[in-house]
């Protein structure tokens, strides 16, 4: 029977919803047990949140001042040591997980399964390739620990209501000193986080300028939505690159995705293929975005968006 260890992602004392999505992926294995490990300087608060996820048997805490910031080179040796006795080690396919899990796999001497999106059995999985244009089946060796990143856009959050035991774990491994935390620069915003938002409004090259992008921000605020952008808009300097959605940006699965002035290159569509309802607004009726949109409006976005704002009140 499978025994799964999930590495919790958290920031400023708050558990990232991606962790609960990893639990959903782990449950698809029908495992004997699912444990979560929280590595932090003071893991108690995050551990209490993780313990509430249904299906989790135990939450392990590793308290160490060195874990105050999520540095892969520092966390990886500890996770690899804790992996003993587990058949699977999962992390989210977020910036955090993509940084950490390959280092864990290297420590364990195994290949990583990336972007796990479906489970066929304990060692057989499906993952996307070619910018999501194809899905392949991969089989991991049954005699090795499976280290995987979970494609969070493909899994729902596991339910709450759990009451897992919280236990302190002792990890005695040498930690590197050549990599250290210097600082974190993050934009301040009252809008929802792009990667976990239920509603997202994105703008593309068709918006025309950084100044014109205010029309995207206003609509997003009306809807209580996060703001995203295509790579073309980011490359043109309209918005910072942390707003980029797509193959080389963020992979998201909101309930509502509104694409404004976005043509719909395959690299962008990769990032939204799991969205619930896609609304496209573009003056080019032949734009590829309309092939995947549930609702399409052909017209000038600078006329349509103000009318839509009025209708929203």
């Amino acid at each position: 029977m499978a025994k799964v260890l999930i590495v919790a992602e958290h920031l400023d004392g708050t558990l990232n919803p991606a962790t609960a999505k990893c639990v959903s992926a782990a449950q698809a294995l029908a495992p004997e047990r699912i444990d979560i490990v929280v590595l932090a300087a003071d893991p108690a608060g995050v551990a209490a949140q993780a313990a509430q996820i249904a299906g989790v048997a135990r939450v392990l805490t590793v308290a160490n001042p060195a874990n105050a910031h999520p540095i892969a080179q520092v966390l990886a040796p500890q996770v690899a040591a804790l992996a003993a006795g587990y058949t699977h080690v999962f992390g989210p396919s977020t910036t955090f997980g993509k940084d950490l899990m390959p280092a864990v796999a290297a420590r364990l001497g195994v290949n990583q399964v990336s972007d796990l999106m479906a489970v066929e059995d304990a060692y057989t999985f499906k993952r996307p390739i070619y910018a999501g244009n194809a899905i392949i089946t991969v089989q991991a060796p049954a005699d090795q620990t499976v280290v995987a990143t979970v494609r969070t856009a493909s899994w729902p959050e596991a339910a709450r209501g759990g009451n897992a035991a919280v236990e302190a774990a002792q990890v005695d491994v040498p930690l590197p000193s050549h990599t250290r935390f210097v600082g974190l620069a993050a934009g301040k915003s009252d809008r929802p986080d792009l990667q976990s938002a239920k509603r997202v409004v994105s703008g593309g090259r068709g918006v025309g300028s950084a100044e014109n992008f205010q029309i995207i921000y206003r609509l997003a605020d009306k809807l209580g939505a996060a703001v995203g952008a295509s790579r073309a808009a980011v490359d043109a300097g309209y918005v910072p690159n942390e707003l980029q959605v797509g193959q080389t940006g963020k992979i998201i699965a909101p309930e509502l995705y509104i694409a404004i002035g976005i043509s719909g290159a395959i690299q962008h569509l990769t990032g939204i293929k799991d969205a619930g309802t896609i609304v496209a607004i573009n003056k080019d009726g032949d734009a590829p975005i309309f092939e995947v949109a549930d609702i399409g409006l052909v017209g000038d976005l600078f006329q349509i968006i103000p009318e839509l704002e009025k209708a929203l009140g």
Side-chain angles (χ1 to χ4, degrees):
M1 292 287 287
K3 295 181 180 179
V4 187
L5 179 66
I6 295 170
V7 184
E9 178 174 354
H10 57 92
L11 182 65
D12 296 332
T14 301
L15 185 70
N16 191 298
T19 305
K21 294 186 176 185
C22 288
V23 173
S24 289
Q27 288 172 332
L29 299 169
E32 179 182 336
R33 66 182 299 128
I34 299 172
D35 293 345
I36 294 177
V37 60
V38 179
L39 300 103
D42 181 7
V46 176
Q49 297 169 49
Q52 296 174 14
I53 301 175
V56 176
R58 183 175 58 160
V59 177
L60 303 176
T61 60
V62 181
N64 189 327
N67 297 337
H69 304 285
I71 302 171
Q73 289 71 22
V74 174
L75 301 184
Q78 301 173 76
V79 175
L82 289 166
Y86 291 94
T87 58
H88 297 68
V89 182
F90 285 178
S93 189
T94 57
T95 302
F96 166 80
K98 289 177 180 178
D99 188 34
L100 172 61
M101 300 311 289
V104 173
R107 286 270 177 173
L108 295 175
V110 300
N111 293 319
Q112 176 183 286
V113 178
S114 300
D115 283 335
L116 187 157
M117 64 183 301
V119 171
E120 293 195 352
D121 61 44
Y123 294 93
T124 310
F125 314 99
K126 290 187 180 294
R127 65 174 299 264
I129 60 170
Y130 301 134
N133 280 320
I135 307 299
I136 62 169
T137 300
V138 295
Q139 187 159 14
D143 59 347
Q144 295 180 359
T145 304
V146 177
V147 177
T149 57
V150 173
R151 182 182 170 95
T152 54
S154 299
W155 299 91
E157 290 183 38
R160 301 287 169 170
N163 188 26
V166 178
E167 300 178 13
Q170 298 299 319
V171 182
D172 186 17
V173 294
L175 302 181
S177 59
H178 63 276
T179 303
R180 57 194 178 277
F181 178 81
V182 174
L184 175 64
K188 298 293 183 182
S189 176
D190 293 330
R191 298 184 183 93
D193 174 66
L194 175 58
Q195 204 140 21
S196 58
K198 302 297 185 185
R199 295 180 291 275
V200 175
V201 179
S202 279
R205 190 198 306 272
V207 177
S209 68
E211 292 75 19
N212 289 345
F213 221 85
Q214 292 302 317
I215 198 170
I216 305 297
Y217 290 122
R218 288 198 302 270
L219 180 59
D221 290 342
K222 282 271 189 181
L223 294 170
V227 172
S230 67
R231 178 169 180 170
V234 171
D235 289 347
Y238 301 169
V239 292
N241 59 10
E242 60 259 30
L243 298 186
Q244 184 176 322
V245 174
Q247 181 183 7
T248 54
K250 290 181 170 65
I251 308 296
I252 60 176
E255 294 173 2
L256 172 66
Y257 185 78
I258 303 178
I260 300 172
I262 295 175
S263 62
I266 185 61
Q267 289 84 357
H268 185 78
L269 300 183
T270 296
I272 61 169
K273 67 188 302 291
D274 294 302
T277 299
I278 299 174
V279 178
I281 301 172
N282 200 299
K283 65 181 180 181
D284 180 6
D286 295 323
I289 190 71
F290 289 118
E291 296 179 12
V292 299
D294 299 286
I295 300 170
L297 296 172
V298 179
D300 185 344
L301 68 90
F302 297 105
Q303 293 179 358
I304 293 174
I305 300 305
E307 292 176 10
L308 185 54
E309 286 187 57
K310 288 180 183 178
L312 290 170

